[in-house]
Amino acid sequence: MFKIRTIFLFALLFPLTIRAEQIVPNTRLAAQTGNNTAAANSFPGCEITTVTNGQCVDNGDLRASNISKVDVHTLLSPSQQGTKIYTTYIPYWVHGTHPNIGYSSQDPNQVAKEITDLTSRGFDGVLVDWYGPGSYEDGATQVLASQLAQQDRLTFALMIDQGAIEWFSCYPGCSATQALLNIIAYARSQEYFSSHMAIKNSDGKTIVTQFGMEAYNINWNTIRSNNSDLEWIFENASAFTSPYTIGAFGWLSQIGRASC
């Protein structure tokens, strides 16, 4: 008992002094909670073209918000480090039947914001969902390609959509093969394949992807022999057995529509 009381008295006679360091914040609450993306503040996060009982229907797309800027490559396992990560770039906003999400894909200021946003998250480049000559998406792609040429971080490749054949080609007045050859020739005239920012394979060939062209009878042997500097990546599981593709990608789908 004596020892315990002695220690207690010692603590009373010599109290512990704690010095509080002043914390100087280097950010503000608004910066940590406000919109730090390229999304428009006016987008409510739902299909504003579809109204039910006076309310627009939530389609799963996140409204403008504050998101993590941690490099996306940190999501990869140690064995996957060095892998390039690309995102699909869909440039059809404020056009046709697509919802108005608060900006135009042809607006250079908006495209600049998107490039800044993608770079801040560590992406290596974009795969542009492209509908061919004369399309709204081509006008937007020209804006994107022009701005990408002014930086050296993000690269890009075309994802030639089946809509390019369906709506912006000589088809059905010509074969789907000829339509695609014409579309590729136009892409060359725009220097989409020869740009220094075009995605290249390890053998130096330009990467091109396609979306939904399984719906057409295309002679891929003709396409490849006439464009030996291009290498293709096809969609879905059938791509793994195709002799005309060097890889495959999957597309998350809902009933009746693709989920972007």
Side-chain angles (χ1 to χ4, degrees):
M1 294 295 293
F2 177 76
K3 288 185 179 180
I4 294 176
R5 284 197 295 269
T6 301
I7 294 174
F8 178 69
L9 289 174
F10 182 82
L12 291 177
L13 292 174
F14 300 96
L16 179 64
T17 301
I18 301 176
R19 180 182 178 184
E21 296 289 342
Q22 183 180 8
I23 299 175
V24 180
N26 59 5
T27 186
R28 300 178 66 85
L29 178 62
Q32 297 301 310
T33 58
N35 178 18
N36 67 345
T37 73
N41 289 320
S42 60
F43 177 58
C46 57
E47 291 279 8
I48 56 181
T49 56
T50 305
V51 178
T52 302
N53 297 326
Q55 301 294 321
C56 56
V57 179
D58 185 358
N59 67 349
D61 291 334
L62 184 67
R63 64 178 301 167
S65 58
N66 196 279
I67 67 167
S68 171
K69 293 291 186 174
V70 174
D71 192 312
V72 292
H73 293 87
T74 62
L75 300 174
L76 300 175
S77 68
S79 64
Q80 294 173 320
Q81 293 305 312
T83 300
K84 301 289 186 181
I85 301 180
Y86 302 95
T87 183
T88 305
Y89 187 88
I90 304 179
Y92 53 40
W93 301 112
V94 78
H95 170 67
T97 60
H98 301 296
N100 182 350
I101 61 173
Y103 63 74
S104 165
S105 294
Q106 291 188 355
D107 179 2
N109 292 326
Q110 173 62 31
V111 173
K113 291 179 182 178
E114 292 167 351
I115 291 175
T116 298
D117 192 11
L118 290 166
T119 303
S120 71
R121 303 191 212 179
F123 285 101
D124 294 289
V126 296
L127 307 178
V128 186
D129 188 23
W130 184 67
Y131 283 70
S135 66
Y136 178 89
E137 292 78 11
D138 183 50
T141 301
Q142 291 177 28
V143 174
L144 173 67
S146 175
Q147 296 209 21
L148 288 177
Q150 301 174 38
Q151 52 89 66
D152 57 4
R153 178 66 181 84
L154 297 177
T155 54
F156 78 102
L158 293 185
M159 176 189 290
I160 304 179
D161 197 285
Q162 70 176 72
I165 293 179
E166 184 174 359
W167 298 310
F168 299 100
S169 77
C170 56
Y171 185 84
C174 67
S175 68
T177 301
Q178 186 60 53
L180 183 53
L181 287 171
N182 295 348
I183 289 168
I184 292 172
Y186 173 81
R188 289 191 186 281
S189 74
Q190 298 301 308
E191 300 183 348
Y192 292 146
F193 302 140
S194 58
S195 167
H196 75 283
M197 299 311 297
I199 298 174
K200 306 287 186 180
N201 199 11
S202 58
D203 58 7
K205 294 185 178 183
T206 302
I207 297 296
V208 189
T209 68
Q210 59 91 352
F211 182 85
M213 289 196 182
E214 308 85 47
Y216 296 96
N217 183 21
I218 296 175
N219 186 327
W220 285 102
N221 188 55
T222 298
I223 299 298
R224 186 172 66 175
S225 62
N226 282 272
N227 299 278
S228 59
D229 60 323
L230 305 181
E231 288 191 326
W232 294 80
I233 298 177
F234 288 3
E235 182 190 11
N236 298 327
S238 60
F240 289 109
T241 57
S242 171
Y244 304 113
T245 175
I246 62 169
F249 71 92
W251 190 266
L252 298 178
S253 296
Q254 296 176 348
I255 297 176
R257 71 174 185 178
S259 176
C260 308

